[in-house]
Amino acid sequence: MSLLVVGSVAYDGIETPFGKTDRILGGSATYISLASSFFAENINLVGVVGKDFADEDIELLKSKNIDLEGLQIDSSGNTFFWKGKYHHDLNNRDTLDTQLNVFEHFDPIIPEGYKDAQYVALGNIEPSLQEKVLDQVNNPDLVVMDTMNFWIEGTPDALKQTLKGVDLLVINDSEARELANEPNLFTSADKIREMGPDSLIIKKGEHGALLFTGDEIFSAPAYPVIDIFDPTGAGDTFMGGLLGWISYTNDLSPVNMRRAVIMGSVMASFCVEKFGPERLKSLNEEEVFTRYKEFRDLSVIPEIK
Ligand code: AMP
């Protein structure tokens, strides 16, 4: 099964209460691809990097069997750079610097060989660029999209247009309320699903996630992560784990979507244990499936006899 991933490929400067790094590989497409590569085989990445992009980072992506034909290398400038700082409450971060660099003129050109992708992951980029991707692909089975407040507030019309072509939207709770202009999360979900996406996942940070699909609502628990070090990329990693699992199993049934939400949560819970995508590089099967089981055990509700 093939998975097309479009989004940012970046270098990040990150400061958390536990440490600081001036430059580490980041970007939404990077996290989605690395997380999905744990399960999925044919991952095709579309993005842009600049002349400063390191060979070792290209090698890292290749070593995870991520196809880079769609990764444009623009030698006219540097790679997108983002710098953020987290405070004591790791749910809040300040963006200290955003240098668009080559990302400013990014035109997502989908190589011929990627156009029949079964699964499409639209990482968090400008909605009109996400729409451009949808215009180029041939009837995928599932289009999953992420977005953020910046686009909900800044380009609401383009966002709503793009949403019409999306099957599953993944956003956090404050974004859902803002997009629907509605304080109640469940009413928000109904309104958002009327905008286009058949299914919806609302992430609630350290409090788990809600999946709305068909007539079902699934409430996924949050894993009690003790070793939280750096939350950067957790949202993208969630989407990568989710889509990696769906792509690997090729099963869109509601029960498998539930598994996928947990796999997304498993991968995100590992991601935050180290700086940037470090932890995703070294994960093994036993760790992933053990944590999946821990997630299950967290929310088993005993029957009343
Ligand atoms: P997350 O923590 O899941 O929201 O994603 C963090 C990643 O998003 C970082 O690695 C950044 O490089 C990337 N990022 C930050 N701002 C933007 C932006 N405006 N457009 C695209 N990617 C961004």
Side-chain angles (χ1 to χ4, degrees):
M1 305 308 126
S2 62
L3 168 60
L4 170 63
V5 179
V6 185
S8 56
V9 179
Y11 283 119
D12 294 340
I14 304 167
E15 191 176 337
T16 80
F18 316 108
K20 187 172 184 284
T21 175
D22 290 331
R23 189 176 168 88
I24 194 164
L25 180 64
S28 57
T30 306
Y31 282 103
I32 295 169
S33 303
L34 286 174
S36 58
S37 73
F38 191 83
F39 303 107
E41 277 184 355
N42 298 313
I43 301 167
N44 298 325
L45 173 64
V46 170
V48 64
V49 295
K51 59 180 187 295
D52 60 339
F53 201 68
D55 289 344
E56 64 176 279
D57 291 324
I58 294 275
E59 290 315 314
L60 167 69
L61 297 169
K62 282 188 178 164
S63 74
K64 300 289 179 187
N65 283 327
I66 298 164
D67 189 282
L68 300 180
E69 188 196 338
L71 182 67
Q72 303 164 25
I73 300 177
D74 179 347
S75 55
S76 71
N78 283 331
T79 304
F80 174 74
F81 180 77
W82 173 81
K83 188 172 177 184
K85 179 174 176 170
Y86 296 84
H87 302 278
H88 200 67
D89 170 2
L90 292 162
N91 288 311
N92 289 319
R93 71 179 175 207
D94 294 331
T95 290
L96 303 180
D97 194 6
T98 302
Q99 297 169 22
L100 290 176
N101 299 329
V102 293
F103 201 48
E104 190 172 355
H105 302 293
F106 175 46
D107 182 13
I109 297 164
I110 312 298
E112 222 34 63
Y114 291 5
K115 290 187 176 172
D116 287 325
Q118 254 176 307
Y119 302 106
V120 177
L122 300 174
N124 175 25
I125 52 173
E126 203 182 316
S128 61
L129 294 181
Q130 293 173 319
E131 173 89 1
K132 254 187 163 171
V133 174
L134 296 185
D135 287 344
Q136 295 172 72
V137 293
N138 305 320
N139 232 343
D141 290 347
L142 186 79
V143 175
V144 184
M145 173 180 152
D146 182 17
T147 192
M148 67 190 288
N149 294 53
F150 186 73
W151 308 117
I152 297 171
E153 290 156 24
T155 57
D157 295 338
L159 178 63
K160 284 183 183 151
Q161 178 58 36
T162 307
L163 279 176
K164 289 181 188 163
V166 169
D167 301 303
L168 169 62
L169 178 69
V170 184
I171 49 176
N172 69 36
D173 45 0
S174 68
E175 290 159 354
R177 290 190 174 93
E178 193 168 356
L179 177 59
N181 195 19
E182 162 65 50
N184 180 295
L185 215 48
F186 297 93
T187 316
S188 299
D190 287 343
K191 285 194 173 177
I192 292 168
R193 293 175 76 191
E194 280 167 18
M195 295 177 191
D198 267 350
S199 304
L200 174 69
I201 293 173
I202 299 181
K203 297 173 289 181
K204 297 183 292 169
E206 59 196 340
H207 306 293
L210 291 169
L211 163 71
F212 300 83
T213 188
D215 295 332
E216 292 188 16
I217 301 177
F218 171 56
S219 175
Y223 184 77
V225 186
I226 305 297
D227 300 327
I228 183 156
F229 189 82
D230 169 22
T232 308
D236 305 312
T237 299
F238 174 90
M239 189 162 152
L242 173 110
L243 260 169
W245 180 258
I246 291 174
S247 176
Y248 168 64
T249 54
N250 198 27
D251 176 357
L252 290 170
S253 64
V255 67
N256 199 50
M257 295 291 278
R258 289 184 181 216
R259 291 186 195 107
V261 169
I262 300 297
M263 279 308 182
S265 310
V266 164
M267 299 309 271
S269 74
F270 280 118
C271 174
V272 302
E273 290 181 355
K274 285 192 178 170
F275 260 137
E278 261 334 280
R279 186 69 178 91
L280 296 179
K281 291 186 199 169
S282 62
L283 271 179
N284 67 46
E285 217 163 278
E286 194 189 339
E287 288 172 318
V288 168
F289 286 97
T290 300
R291 192 161 290 186
Y292 182 92
K293 187 173 179 309
E294 287 169 352
F295 262 95
R296 280 199 62 195
D297 294 345
L298 260 175
S299 51
V300 174
I301 302 174
E303 285 194 43
I304 298 173
K305 293 203 173 130

